[in-house]
Amino acid sequence: MAEVTAALVAKLRKATGAGMMDCKKALEATDGDLEKATDWLRENGLSNASKYSEREATEGSVEALVDGNVGVLVELKCNTDFVAKGSDFVALVTKIANAVAAGGDADVASLALDGSTVGETVTQTAATLGENVSLGRVVRYEATDGLVDAYKHIQNERGTIGVLVELGGVDPASDEARAVAHEIALHVSFAAPEYLTRDEVPADVIERERVVLEQKSRNENVPEAKLAGAVTGRLNGFYKEVVLLEQPSVKDPKVSIGKLVEGLGAGASVRRFARVKAGEE
């Protein structure tokens, strides 16, 4: 059996929010496997976490902007919060985002920036600050019809979450469509959906969830005759957690995002969305 260290327990506790002793039991029951330990906690009704991530969050700043029919997200990474919220660092992220909006995202490092290139500027910034500054995720949407909207969540003096949403089948000049797009972008920032539609959820993810929910239902003594229905109902709840169009709107929980979009007309749709949180992969 793998050694269940205090550090391992702390990692699982941080990821799931479960109690320390419950995390220890879960790890002992699963031979120290963090992924399986998360499932064990959920099966026993001790955690709502759907997955475990060992990725350590780093610091950084995110810019989200729209220029005409182009939307851009840019993440610039660093080591400390002190640097991430610095005015020069935040200004650099914005300059890079504007360069991507104008020049595309095929080769961001080579884009011109203040008489140099993005790549050279980032390298020089790292040397000046004495930190591991690097370009993170870059997303660029260009709507040939419809519209793109963006939302940036600001915390500690810099953008920490950026979102892009592209709507199709709407008039780009429509104030109503723009308002709905912005509402969805704000929603994505806080609700963090993983997929646009139910069909996009990978089969292996669904199967893993089904196994967990079935075992959880058995642990709750759900009768065998009602087990399939209980699992189906809980899977529907799972979809509402991870699928954008099925999530209840943050602004009005009585209305799903899908229904919100339908209100714009039969041809309206969310074509795609992106969410970038500083320091997360």
Side-chain angles (χ1 to χ4, degrees):
M1 177 182 290
E3 181 184 2
V4 177
T5 64
L8 203 58
V9 172
K11 281 187 176 182
L12 184 60
R13 187 180 185 187
K14 181 179 179 181
T16 64
M20 182 174 66
M21 293 308 299
D22 289 331
C23 288
K24 187 172 186 295
K25 289 178 183 178
L27 288 163
E28 289 173 344
T30 58
D31 200 25
D33 187 305
L34 289 163
E35 203 66 73
K36 290 180 180 178
T38 300
D39 288 348
W40 187 95
L41 287 168
R42 296 185 62 227
E43 289 168 1
N44 288 278
L46 299 172
S47 170
N48 291 321
S50 61
K51 59 185 177 180
Y52 173 79
S53 172
E54 289 186 278
R55 294 188 293 265
E56 293 293 335
T58 57
E59 294 294 339
S61 179
V62 175
E63 180 60 278
L65 57 81
V66 174
D67 183 8
N69 65 333
V70 173
V72 172
L73 296 180
V74 169
E75 175 193 26
L76 193 62
K77 297 182 177 181
C78 60
N79 296 122
T80 65
D81 175 77
F82 177 78
V83 166
K85 67 183 182 181
S87 59
D88 290 343
F89 192 88
V90 172
L92 177 56
V93 184
T94 301
K95 288 181 181 179
I96 296 173
N98 279 306
V100 172
D105 59 350
D107 186 5
V108 177
S110 296
L111 292 175
L113 190 70
D114 293 340
S116 184
T117 65
V118 168
E120 291 167 347
T121 302
V122 170
T123 299
Q124 182 59 49
T125 300
T128 300
L129 295 174
E131 289 209 3
N132 182 20
V133 178
S134 62
L135 190 63
R137 289 157 291 177
V138 175
V139 181
R140 185 180 188 273
Y141 288 171
E142 184 168 0
T144 54
D145 59 81
L147 62 87
V148 179
D149 200 79
Y151 173 78
K152 178 173 67 175
H153 181 68
I154 299 175
Q155 186 176 358
N156 293 333
E157 302 172 51
R158 92 284 193 182
T160 55
I161 301 174
V163 175
L164 289 182
V165 171
E166 181 179 352
L167 294 187
V170 297
D171 181 356
S174 167
D175 290 339
E176 182 185 8
R178 179 69 63 181
V180 168
H182 196 68
E183 181 177 336
I184 294 172
L186 187 151
H187 169 93
V188 170
S189 171
F190 290 95
E194 298 178 51
Y195 311 97
L196 176 58
T197 68
R198 185 178 293 206
D199 291 341
E200 290 183 2
V201 184
D204 62 323
V205 172
I206 296 173
E207 181 56 29
R208 177 187 170 191
E209 190 67 18
R210 187 187 301 278
V211 169
V212 169
L213 295 177
E214 181 174 329
Q215 186 58 52
K216 183 176 182 179
S217 297
R218 291 183 188 278
N219 290 345
E220 294 174 354
N221 298 316
V222 174
E224 196 69 28
K226 296 183 178 180
L227 191 62
V231 171
T232 297
R234 282 177 158 168
L235 267 179
N236 286 332
F238 165 72
Y239 289 129
K240 287 182 179 180
E241 291 178 0
V242 301
V243 174
L244 174 59
L245 294 182
E246 299 194 27
Q247 288 182 330
S249 169
V250 168
K251 185 175 180 180
D252 183 359
K254 295 180 180 179
V255 180
S256 70
I257 295 300
K259 290 294 184 182
L260 186 65
V261 176
E262 287 178 12
L264 294 175
S269 67
V270 178
R271 286 185 174 153
R272 50 184 172 170
F273 73 92
R275 180 182 185 272
V276 171
K277 183 176 181 179
E280 289 189 351
E281 293 297 335

